[in-house]
Amino acid sequence: MLLGAIADDFTGATDLCSMLVRGGMRTVQVIGVPQAGQPVPDVDAVVVALKSRTAPVKQAVDESLAALAWLRDAGARQFFFKYCSTFDSTEQGNIGPVADALVAALGCGFALACPAFPTNGRTIYQGHLFVGSVLLNESGMENHPLTPMTDANLVRVLSRQTDGTVGLVPFVTVDQGAAATRDAMTRLKEQGRRYAIVDAITDAHLFAIGEAAAGHALLTGGSGIAIGLGANFRKAGLLPERADSAALPNIDGPRAVVAGSCSRATLAQLGFARDHLPVLDLDPLATPDAATMSATALSWAGDKLGDKPVVIAASAPPEKVAALQAKLGREQAGALVEETLARIAEGLVARGVRQLVVAGGETSGAVVGRLGVRSLRIGAEIDPGVPWTCAAGSGPDLLLALKSGNFGATDFFVKAFRILAD
Ligand code: ADP
């Protein structure tokens, strides 16, 4: 293993994995802190997905350190702390405290911090984070329910979360390339700075920063900054040219989609799927019972499995969601549907399904938990940000695609299986 990464949430981890695979590194995402003795996958990079973004500070630090210890034991040469490209955190953390703990544990004294992801509109200029054309604190992130970002100056934001000091490598330096960026970071470290926020406006900047940090024990940032890491390892003779970094094993079997996202994109994707695949719409308002709904759905799927992919959806337009929430309460409604879909996914796998698409972030969490998935080997992307993966854990290995609600083109549910067949 060359790179060992710790991500502060699940979908962020997958995002980083996809970036590494694109950079020619075979990558596995591990869910939660691996147990001591959990076998080390034979890959170039492992990303440990935590749920530490909004956890209590101590828990976030402890889990991150436990993940680091496992990655070190597994032989990783360089470490990466992945957080959101909008620097999602509170005054208390968790980016600062976790980074402090990792810097201390590695004894490296310094780490760069760069959440920039120009492809997604996240750029940093003079230490200020922009989302599209507006500052972070005017992007809507100032109203985030858990991590409101009310200051776009990342030097200030990170300074409030650490007892170390924070410097800046400005645009004019980064724009000169890797050598100038490396020298600037070395100077900041010599001046006693623990962190450098590094400006980046284009992918060329990210490549330069990645190259400049080739000798760093720890990098921190969004997935964008990982864009050049594969090239670093190749240059050092540690990573061969791999044409097969996204290769997954062939796993044949019945195919299914389970959808719990009510996002606009998913509703449109279901609309498209209705013209091509058998679709069952659950009606939690009429039958607010997970056992009954899942039994009905599994018996509906029964004789269809093995033919075309089957689609089972709880997804509904806002007025239907509101009706269920009015009846059960918001949390109960979500929990009921998640429990139902997780049971359905479990039943489908028990009936032989080996290629499964799950739509919805929370829904994916519920399904992965229920299936006992421990790790995901990352394959090729179906659409940006949604790769096929090979899931392994307590059940049989299967091909699993976990789609964030708003991701994917309209033909996603059809295209996903076509890609596997090709
Ligand atoms: P997304 O990625 O689009 O945000 P999530 O799975 O994260 O999707 O969130 C969708 C939430 O909506 C889940 O908690 C799911 O259980 C809930 N949900 C799905 N269908 C319904 C429905 N018909 N009524 C009420 N809540 C629903």
Side-chain angles (χ1 to χ4, degrees), residues 65 75 79 104 179 185 251 285:
L65 286 174
F79 301 89
M185 288 195 286
I251 305 179
L285 198 59

Side-chain angles (χ1 to χ4, degrees), residues 260-263 284 314-316 321 324 333-334 337-338 360-363 404-405:
S261 161
C262 302
S263 301
S315 312
V321 173
L324 189 68
V337 174
E338 284 166 33
E362 294 299 323
T363 308
S404 215

Side-chain angles (χ1 to χ4, degrees), residues 8-9 12 15 53 82-90 93 95 114-118 120-124 127-132 134-144 146-154 157-158 161 221-224:
D8 69 356
D9 90 334
D15 195 17
R53 183 169 296 167
K82 157 75 174 69
Y83 40 80
C84 189
S85 62
T86 41
F87 212 76
D88 299 14
S89 51
T90 66
I95 294 175
C114 181
F117 198 166
N120 289 352
R122 275 62 156 164
T123 56
I124 308 173
H128 289 70
L129 180 58
F130 288 81
V131 178
V134 299
L135 286 163
L136 175 66
N137 57 311
E138 299 169 9
S139 67
M141 277 304 295
E142 70 275 23
N143 300 318
H144 191 283
L146 302 174
T147 52
M149 301 303 293
T150 55
D151 187 357
N153 182 329
L154 296 184
V157 174
L158 183 54
Q161 297 180 24
S223 52

